[in-house]
Amino acid sequence: MLPFEEEDVGTKIPLKRHSTINPSSIQQNGHKKKKIRASFPVKNPSSTGSEMQKRKSELSKIRTGLPVYQFKRKINQSLQDNDVLLVVAETGSGKSTQIPAYLDESNLFCRNQGKFARSICVTQPRRVAAITVAKRVAEEQGCTIGSAVGYKVRFDDSTQPTTRIIYATDGMLLRESMSDPLLSRYSVVVLDESHERSLQTDILFGVVSRAMVARGYDLKGADEEDEDDGSMDALIKRRMKEKAQQYSLPRLKVVVMSATLDTETFKNFFKGAATIQIPGRVFPVQVVYTQEPQEDYIESALVTAMQIHQEADDGDVLIFLPGQEEIEDLASLLRRHLEAEKTLEEALTSRDIVQMVQGMGTNLDGKVASIVDGVMICVLYAALPPEAQMLAFQPKPAGCVRKIILATNIAETSVTLDGIRYVVDCGKHKTRDYNGKTGMESLTVKDISKAQAAQRTGRAGRLSSGVCFRLYTEDAYDALEELSVPEILRVNLAQVVLMLKGMGVHNPIKFDYLTPPSMDSLKKATQLLYALGALEKSMELTAHGKKMAKLPVDPVYAHLLLQSSKYECTAEMLTAVAMLSAENIMYRPGSNGAMEGGPDSLSTKAALAHRRFVSYEGDLPTLLNVYRAWQREAIYVPKRYSSKAQKKLQRDAQADGQQKLFHGAWCQHNFISARALIRAHDVRHQLSVICGNTVGQRGLGMNVHQSCGEKDMEQFLKCVCAGLFLQSASRISKSKEVHKGSGSLEGFQRGGRFKTKVGNAEVNIHPTSTLFNRNPAPKCVVYTELLVTKKTYIRGVTQVREEWLVDVAPQFFSKV
């Protein structure tokens, strides 16, 4: 039972009292529902102009009812009078969709001529927010996406030279600033959801402020200091000013939008910024707490979701959980308990719904969405591809009575999930913390902040009044931190330093950070880049470092890829790096109805399917085997091809190889994540273009077809060793294992314990590694990731020879 205490937020709405219920009794307490008949709206691939105008007219009534509408004139006037405008607006006020539109409609800021200062850029921390908000604004403007309104996210750019409002992820604007530090295309930059304090958002503040100063923004004497400084950075800033004057660029206006009242950090960064506060959500949300602490938040979320479904009024449910693993566990539990409630007739009907939706091209394999007992269960997390994420935003079929969305904090900001009336907040999120002194990264589940709790609550008040069930006590809420720790204080900064150097920042230590990172983290980052050959002692980028900066991957992976030319395995290394960039390639299901570990269980079938890909040498060769098998045995047509070209390629592929399976069927048969494999394919394509282009085309001029072949894998393994030499470890001998008091050689036999060569940390091979069960364990390995959870693990493990380390990095290793 989860008894809740009530707290009013705004106007109080009626709340039904919950009856006593526990997970074991849920399946007995089900109630019969009416027989479900599904009906689906017919999808219209293209909307006519009249339909768009009709939709625009419908949305205009909603727009005028938003809290931000009352401030339209004040927003335009304030930004006209000031270079920086700070907008504090709570969730549901309409700031993300309306303010950029107001600025565009005013015709005060965009010159709409030439190629400079013609667009407004709105940044979002996440790609799903950039895409969904852009589509909504395009509807409100009565235009197709990519014309007047568009978005730019990784692998998907819908903009044109004439696009006036561009929604972009922080990372995309940062990449753009590397080639255009003046941000000359934009007249206004809107930094949305700045309270989240993501790493890239924080760096953007510094990048944008540099462009502002170059385009005439007065930092109250700070630039005069730079003029007399005599440093390289001062010289670069003077050159940026000269270039801005040459292009006749107008002053760059900046809007900082935050949902929290703690604005001092932003005010101190942008001196003299104007501030506007906009009232919160349109609809009231009631907050309720548990009376007692909950030990198992997954079980508590399950119980609460079932209570809402059985007893509460109509409305969809959004459940916040820390990560993908917890989401998939709860999705499985929900399906099982809802299935137990159904009659045979309802079960058959639900199966019909699933088949109908599958026929519409929707993936309902239980991982992305499923319909059980009239309830549509959707999942939403960052690792999902865009098309899978969009499923959570689509209207539920007419035969469904409720939608339950299980999401990470990806759903906290900017996105509007229609129909959400109930929010279940577990109070947790998953965070990575980097120790600048040891170089270790930990992945832990931690409490959210009060600001995050407020954001989650607001999801229930976007389109109607709602209720937020917090699965923790009011005392626990009071003990939460006010704001989350900025990401820049808890991550590895090597990629940040490399990016800043690539943008022309000579000394990253003196860069204008919104919150300066620790010196330990910056020192560790520069040491890593120096060891990789990216930096000279003078802090200048080497030729190798300039190449690394062009690659949109982690510096270690960039270094690894650049080594491939020397070892003549560029084609293989492109694949390996792309596969590493896509998480969870192998689908490893738990028990699903059959006895876990039995011959009929999914976990056993998956292990058998994966066996044919496994390489004795470790994880990177195994990933290479997966991709090669997919290329040989599957038919995949990228979406960037036209529909006619797709059909032709499919016909040709089927004619050439009758034994081939289509992409989805191949992945299902081999227990490989179809979504992750497509992402790897896209990443590989992007990296191939950058590596294959000439230097004049801002590429690296590499031969991307250079291959060592499948039979000569030693060259590939030597390249892996050369790229990951800083992340190497040696096996601890048998005698030391026994001496530690283990009483047996089990640890040695099941993968052994290792000691890292840099840092001397004792580590274990992660259970998901192909080397985990190898007996005997390899003597020397390199790895891609060091992770601290309950133990210290290494992942992405590949066997190498000890003597290779001496050959590839004699300055670090010497012969014993």
Side-chain angles (χ1 to χ4, degrees):
M1 177 177 180
L2 291 179
F4 288 95
E5 296 174 342
E6 303 175 14
E7 174 193 305
D8 290 334
V9 177
T11 307
K12 188 172 181 179
I13 65 173
L15 173 68
K16 291 190 176 182
R17 302 309 304 166
H18 298 287
S19 60
T20 302
I21 188 168
N22 57 62
S24 61
S25 66
I26 287 176
Q27 61 187 35
Q28 285 94 23
N29 292 341
H31 63 283
K32 292 185 178 180
K33 296 182 176 62
K34 294 180 180 179
K35 186 173 180 179
I36 302 166
R37 293 293 183 190
S39 61
F40 297 89
V42 177
K43 289 187 176 181
N44 187 358
S46 60
S47 299
T48 63
S50 60
E51 288 173 338
M52 287 192 293
Q53 290 304 312
K54 181 180 179 181
R55 177 63 174 161
K56 178 182 177 181
S57 178
E58 293 172 353
L59 292 176
S60 66
K61 299 174 183 178
I62 299 174
R63 294 182 66 192
T64 56
L66 292 170
V68 71
Y69 181 75
Q70 305 299 324
F71 296 81
K72 179 178 179 179
R73 183 174 296 179
K74 185 176 181 180
I75 289 168
N76 287 330
Q77 188 63 49
S78 295
L79 193 60
Q80 191 175 10
D81 297 340
N82 301 275
D83 286 328
V84 183
L85 175 63
L86 177 56
V87 178
V88 182
E90 290 186 33
T91 298
S93 62
K95 63 182 185 299
S96 298
T97 55
Q98 302 309 302
I99 290 179
Y102 297 161
L103 300 178
D104 178 57
E105 292 165 0
S106 70
N107 291 321
L108 296 172
F109 307 104
C110 296
R111 302 196 324 188
N112 291 323
Q113 57 184 6
K115 62 179 180 177
F116 299 125
R118 65 184 182 275
S119 302
I120 297 169
C121 182
V122 189
T123 66
Q124 296 290 335
R126 299 179 184 88
R127 62 180 293 150
V128 64
I131 294 172
T132 55
V133 177
K135 289 180 176 178
R136 173 67 179 219
V137 175
E139 280 188 304
E140 293 177 351
Q141 298 296 312
C143 65
T144 57
I145 194 73
S147 53
V149 182
Y151 61 82
K152 291 173 69 174
V153 299
R154 195 177 185 188
F155 309 127
D156 194 358
D157 183 352
S158 72
T159 64
Q160 300 176 14
T162 54
T163 303
R164 299 194 308 272
I165 302 177
I166 298 172
Y167 284 84
T169 54
D170 298 334
M172 288 299 291
L173 187 58
L174 278 176
R175 299 299 301 181
E176 187 174 342
S177 69
M178 293 183 70
S179 57
D180 180 16
L182 290 170
L183 301 176
S184 59
R185 178 175 183 176
Y186 306 110
S187 59
V188 183
V189 172
V190 181
L191 300 169
D192 197 7
E193 308 298 352
S194 55
H195 58 275
E196 283 203 17
R197 301 301 305 276
S198 70
L199 174 65
Q200 292 180 325
T201 302
D202 271 23
I203 298 301
L204 262 182
F205 271 89
V207 169
V208 168
S209 70
R210 281 208 327 158
M212 291 177 68
V213 170
R215 290 169 61 170
Y217 179 57
D218 183 13
L219 278 179
K220 298 187 176 180
D223 37 343
E224 281 83 355
E225 276 182 29
D226 289 340
E227 294 287 347
D228 301 330
D229 193 309
S231 67
M232 181 63 71
D233 282 322
L235 175 62
I236 292 170
K237 290 179 180 179
R238 285 199 298 273
R239 289 176 177 172
M240 287 177 64
K241 283 186 177 181
E242 292 169 1
K243 190 66 83 172
Q245 291 170 358
Q246 177 186 340
Y247 292 157
S248 300
L249 294 178
R251 295 166 80 94
L252 179 63
K253 302 283 186 175
V254 173
V255 180
V256 180
M257 300 202 294
S258 172
T260 67
L261 296 176
D262 181 25
T263 59
E264 289 306 312
T265 302
F266 307 125
K267 288 181 178 178
N268 291 334
F269 189 79
F270 291 117
K271 302 291 185 182
T275 304
I276 293 177
Q277 290 196 4
I278 298 173
R281 61 185 70 88
V282 180
F283 300 98
V285 177
Q286 183 173 327
V287 175
V288 290
Y289 297 90
T290 59
Q291 294 178 1
E292 301 293 337
Q294 302 299 305
E295 294 183 4
D296 187 339
Y297 53 80
I298 293 181
E299 179 182 327
S300 301
L302 170 66
V303 173
T304 305
M306 293 301 297
Q307 288 177 332
I308 293 170
H309 177 52
Q310 292 175 346
E311 302 178 14
D313 295 334
D314 291 344
D316 296 339
V317 184
L318 174 61
I319 303 177
F320 283 101
L321 291 165
Q324 177 181 346
E325 184 179 348
E326 292 87 350
I327 285 174
E328 291 176 353
D329 286 346
L330 182 55
S332 178
L333 288 170
L334 278 171
R335 285 192 293 270
R336 193 181 308 166
H337 284 83
L338 288 167
E339 192 77 34
E341 290 191 329
K342 294 186 306 186
T343 64
L344 176 61
E345 185 180 35
E346 289 169 337
L348 293 172
T349 307
S350 291
R351 192 176 305 141
D352 291 340
I353 297 174
V354 172
Q355 291 169 350
M356 288 177 68
V357 179
Q358 283 177 329
M360 295 163 62
T362 303
N363 182 351
L364 284 177
D365 60 357
K367 297 286 287 180
V368 174
S370 55
I371 300 174
V372 185
D373 196 23
V375 178
M376 187 172 186
I377 302 170
C378 300
V379 302
L380 184 61
Y381 47 84
L384 286 175
E387 62 272 14
Q389 290 176 341
M390 290 302 106
L391 191 60
F393 297 87
Q394 294 176 3
K396 55 183 176 288
C400 291
V401 297
R402 199 186 299 275
K403 184 192 289 186
I404 298 179
I405 301 171
L406 314 179
T408 60
N409 55 2
I410 191 175
E412 274 182 19
T413 55
S414 290
V415 299
T416 298
L417 294 161
D418 291 344
I420 296 298
R421 188 175 179 186
Y422 305 100
V423 167
V424 180
D425 176 16
C426 74
K428 305 287 184 181
H429 70 147
K430 197 167 285 187
T431 178
R432 287 181 181 267
D433 294 313
Y434 178 76
N435 187 322
K437 292 183 178 179
T438 64
M440 288 189 180
E441 190 174 53
S442 60
L443 181 64
T444 53
V445 175
K446 292 186 176 180
D447 293 334
I448 61 174
S449 65
K450 288 181 179 177
Q452 286 178 282
Q455 286 291 100
R456 293 181 176 190
T457 299
R459 300 298 99 187
R462 299 301 291 264
L463 300 176
S464 66
S465 57
V467 184
C468 176
F469 298 88
R470 290 179 175 168
L471 303 181
Y472 43 93
T473 64
E474 191 167 3
D475 288 340
Y477 171 80
D478 292 336
L480 296 177
E481 296 291 335
E482 291 292 334
L483 298 169
S484 302
V485 177
E487 192 177 5
I488 198 169
L489 300 180
R490 51 183 175 82
V491 297
N492 186 346
L493 298 178
Q495 191 164 11
V496 171
V497 172
L498 185 62
M499 184 180 295
L500 292 176
K501 294 296 294 181
M503 287 189 290
V505 177
H506 176 71
N507 188 355
I509 294 175
K510 293 186 177 181
F511 182 71
D512 292 327
Y513 298 100
L514 187 60
T515 299
S518 70
M519 290 302 297
D520 281 337
S521 295
L522 282 171
K523 185 178 179 181
K524 197 75 177 179
T526 53
Q527 287 175 343
L528 172 62
L529 294 174
Y530 177 73
L532 294 176
L535 289 179
E536 297 175 347
K537 288 185 178 179
S538 61
M539 289 290 290
E540 291 289 346
L541 272 181
T542 63
H544 183 64
K546 291 176 182 177
K547 291 179 180 179
M548 287 172 59
K550 291 182 179 181
L551 293 167
V553 293
D554 185 275
V556 173
Y557 292 169
H559 174 71
L560 173 61
L561 183 53
L562 291 173
Q563 298 302 305
S564 63
S565 295
K566 178 180 178 182
Y567 294 92
E568 299 181 343
C569 59
T570 302
E572 287 80 11
M573 200 52 68
L574 278 167
T575 299
V577 171
M579 293 287 272
L580 287 170
S581 300
E583 297 181 359
N584 304 317
I585 294 288
M586 304 283 204
Y587 172 42
R588 297 179 174 90
S591 172
N592 190 18
M595 183 179 295
E596 188 169 0
D600 295 327
S601 71
L602 283 180
S603 57
T604 301
K605 291 179 180 179
L608 291 172
H610 293 163
R611 188 174 295 174
R612 75 184 185 101
F613 304 119
V614 172
S615 167
Y616 184 79
E617 307 297 339
D619 294 333
L620 267 65
T622 298
L623 292 175
L624 196 56
N625 289 343
V626 172
Y627 196 85
R628 283 170 167 170
W630 177 67
Q631 284 185 308
R632 287 193 305 265
E633 303 165 6
I635 301 172
Y636 171 63
V637 183
K639 287 189 174 181
R640 60 179 178 270
Y641 291 99
S642 66
S643 58
K644 184 180 290 187
Q646 286 184 23
K647 290 178 181 178
K648 183 179 184 302
L649 284 170
Q650 288 175 350
R651 287 196 303 268
D652 293 345
Q654 286 177 313
D656 293 340
Q658 296 296 326
Q659 300 302 315
K660 287 188 174 184
L661 296 174
F662 281 102
H663 166 72
W666 185 91
C667 291
Q668 186 175 7
H669 178 74
N670 290 285
F671 288 84
I672 299 297
S673 170
R675 301 182 295 277
L677 206 49
I678 291 174
R679 175 171 172 78
H681 177 81
D682 291 339
V683 171
R684 192 186 189 285
H685 174 75
Q686 183 190 31
L687 293 177
S688 297
V689 171
I690 296 172
C691 292
N693 282 348
T694 63
V695 176
Q697 297 172 316
R698 297 180 180 175
L700 299 176
M702 297 170 64
N703 179 6
V704 296
H705 303 294
Q706 191 178 47
S707 171
C708 61
E710 293 189 36
K711 295 182 180 180
D712 184 16
M713 287 301 292
E714 186 169 305
Q715 287 296 100
F716 175 78
L717 294 173
K718 283 184 177 179
C719 183
V720 171
C721 184
L724 301 176
F725 68 92
L726 288 173
Q727 297 168 195
S728 55
S730 294
R731 186 183 71 201
I732 299 174
S733 65
K734 283 185 183 182
S735 59
K736 291 182 180 179
E737 288 279 343
V738 176
H739 181 68
K740 282 188 171 290
S742 63
S744 71
L745 297 180
E746 181 182 355
F748 174 77
Q749 292 171 344
R750 289 185 61 80
R753 288 183 61 80
F754 290 77
K755 180 172 285 189
T756 61
K757 291 185 176 294
V758 178
N760 289 322
E762 290 193 13
V763 296
N764 302 271
I765 293 179
H766 197 272
T768 58
S769 171
T770 56
L771 294 180
F772 177 66
N773 282 315
R774 221 187 80 173
N775 183 20
K779 292 181 179 179
C780 184
V781 297
V782 292
Y783 56 90
T784 60
E785 185 178 10
L786 191 149
L787 187 64
V788 181
T789 52
K790 293 180 180 179
K791 292 183 179 180
T792 303
Y793 289 109
I794 51 177
R795 299 204 297 190
V797 188
T798 302
Q799 174 178 272
V800 296
R801 296 178 189 170
E802 196 102 31
E803 58 268 25
W804 290 351
L805 291 171
V806 182
D807 295 337
V808 301
Q811 70 275 28
F812 284 89
F813 307 102
S814 58
K815 294 182 179 179
V816 179

